[in-house]
Amino acid sequence: MNRPSNPQRDPSGMAEAGGLLTIDLAALVANWRALAARATGAECAAVVKADAYGCGIAPVAGALAAAGCRTFFVAHLAEGRRVREAAPEATVYLLNGLLPGTAPALAEAGLRPILGSLAEVAEWNGFAEATGWTGGAALHIDTGMNRLGLAPAEARTAAARPPRNLALVMSHLACADETDHPLTARQVAAFRELRTLFPGIAGSLANSSGIFLGGAAYHDLVRPGVALYGANPTPAGANPMRAVVRLEGRIVQLRRVAAGETVGYGATWTARRDSRIAVIAVGYADGLLRAASASDHKPGAEAVVAGRCCPLAGRISMDLAAIDVTDVPEEQVMRGDLATLLGEEIGVDALAARAGTIGYEILTGLGRRYHRVYV
């Protein structure tokens, strides 16, 4: 069947998308440079796991590598391969360790495992000895997270026959974002002591929040993650990072709701006055968490429409959300306009708070249906 051509069609797809996600790579690089400047004397790496916290692993790694970042951390082998394509000369570490039988694949891709158990150390050593492989590896020592890593006693065992080609010893802070949490001081002290088991090997402890703990947490390499993408690494104070993500939802319908009528599934939100509602084409399938819904008993997330902050109305559904735009002059909001859900005005931490979660979940949940723009 022949279809008529449409000369008006937007080749970029922007006009057809329900949501627009803009990633500010200049802000991302500025955040990395600010963190690097704070961590005096230490190399500043970048954690780009989970598709660079939802921002796109290839463009993010490429921009950071161009800015001078030499070391990256990912979770999985497939992520490591993508970083290797974007940053061919970079050092790339796999945080989730060495899965059984994957050493040849890591070597082929030029990636470094972070060994987190004696079994992984033994498998890595066996591979390196059998093949003559000289690529580096890291050793993860657990100092209190009780997740991945060798226990202190196991680290002493490993020190007697350390991993072949060991290039880095690291640990992971559990509570660095909580001011004066007692576990942090214990972890800093424990890592300082355990590092001495591996003389001459670089050390890494500080994550995003750890960079704000001071020099005792820096060692040779810091590895910020969420702060690069604009989330606040110091929740008790003002956010020192620049916003990187801007999320806008397309208004697909404007409607009037009389006082006393309800909006959305479950009829949980009731109009207290004659209201105007803007319905946007973004829902929980796009990462706008249902927990950020509004009801008669709890305020939900907000959106900026025509420069005004407006509350959500009712439950967020799979593909749609409703915004109360009653206080926006009618001539300033039209079908097809964009409502801002994340940006300079509403940070990832603010949206996360309304959903009862953390900025990490907001960022990593950013949907694939958005039209993405990198600036």
Side-chain angles (χ1 to χ4, degrees):
M1 177 180 178
N2 293 326
R3 298 183 183 274
S5 62
N6 181 5
Q8 302 300 316
R9 187 177 185 276
D10 174 17
S12 73
M14 184 185 299
E16 300 173 5
L20 176 62
L21 184 64
T22 304
I23 311 296
D24 187 341
L25 294 175
L28 173 94
V29 168
N31 287 342
W32 177 77
R33 287 178 171 151
L35 294 165
R38 176 174 284 273
T40 306
E43 178 189 348
C44 189
V47 180
V48 293
K49 61 183 179 176
D51 198 29
Y53 289 62
C55 293
I57 198 167
V60 164
L64 290 173
C69 184
R70 305 191 306 273
T71 304
F72 294 87
F73 289 80
V74 298
H76 302 294
L77 206 157
E79 294 176 335
R81 290 192 182 104
R82 294 179 65 192
V83 174
R84 174 61 64 234
E85 292 175 359
E89 304 302 318
T91 298
V92 185
Y93 285 102
L94 269 62
L95 289 161
N96 282 16
L98 180 68
L99 291 177
T102 60
L106 265 72
E108 182 181 4
L111 308 175
R112 296 184 178 187
I114 299 176
L115 307 171
S117 70
L118 291 176
E120 290 182 24
V121 172
E123 182 172 345
W124 177 254
N125 281 346
F127 166 76
E129 290 165 3
T131 63
W133 179 247
T134 58
L139 186 69
H140 187 166
I141 302 174
D142 177 41
T143 55
M145 173 76 83
N146 283 306
R147 195 176 59 175
L148 296 178
L150 279 69
E154 293 175 320
R156 294 183 177 91
T157 299
R161 187 170 182 262
R164 293 286 294 267
N165 314 314
L166 182 63
L168 183 71
V169 176
M170 61 165 281
S171 191
H172 195 96
L173 294 169
C175 307
D177 59 342
E178 299 180 37
T179 304
D180 297 327
H181 196 290
L183 178 57
T184 301
R186 295 200 299 269
Q187 286 192 273
V188 169
F191 186 67
R192 183 174 59 246
E193 176 186 350
L194 290 164
R195 266 201 70 190
T196 64
L197 297 170
F198 305 90
I201 304 300
S204 177
L205 179 63
N207 53 9
S208 288
S209 296
I211 292 172
F212 292 81
L213 295 175
Y218 293 165
H219 296 275
D220 302 292
L221 180 122
V222 296
R223 43 181 211 277
V226 74
L228 294 173
Y229 308 98
N232 189 356
T234 58
N239 189 355
M241 314 316 298
R242 287 177 54 180
V244 171
V245 173
R246 184 173 187 85
L247 173 59
E248 299 166 286
R250 184 83 59 190
I251 296 173
V252 294
Q253 190 174 114
L254 291 158
R255 60 188 306 116
R256 297 183 183 277
V257 175
E261 292 187 358
T262 61
V263 172
Y265 283 118
T268 59
W269 185 91
T270 307
R272 291 182 170 84
R273 56 180 175 171
D274 291 345
S275 303
R276 287 184 296 114
I277 300 296
V279 180
I280 59 171
V282 173
Y284 58 74
D286 305 293
L288 184 60
L289 299 181
R290 188 172 182 269
S293 299
S295 71
D296 291 339
H297 308 291
K298 179 186 80 70
E302 296 177 318
V304 175
V305 180
R308 295 179 182 239
C309 200
C310 302
L312 262 62
R315 284 184 182 165
I316 296 166
S317 55
M318 183 181 293
D319 312 298
L320 301 166
I323 305 168
D324 183 355
V325 295
T326 309
D327 293 329
V328 180
E330 288 195 48
E331 68 276 7
Q332 292 184 15
V333 54
M334 300 175 60
R335 181 173 66 90
D337 286 352
L338 292 168
T340 301
L341 299 162
L342 280 175
E344 292 285 352
E345 311 92 329
I346 302 174
V348 293
D349 300 292
L351 177 55
R354 292 300 178 95
T357 186
I358 55 178
Y360 297 76
E361 187 175 15
I362 298 297
L363 287 167
T364 58
L366 294 171
R368 304 307 307 177
R369 297 195 293 187
Y370 301 127
H371 177 80
R372 291 183 173 229
V373 176
Y374 290 88
V375 298

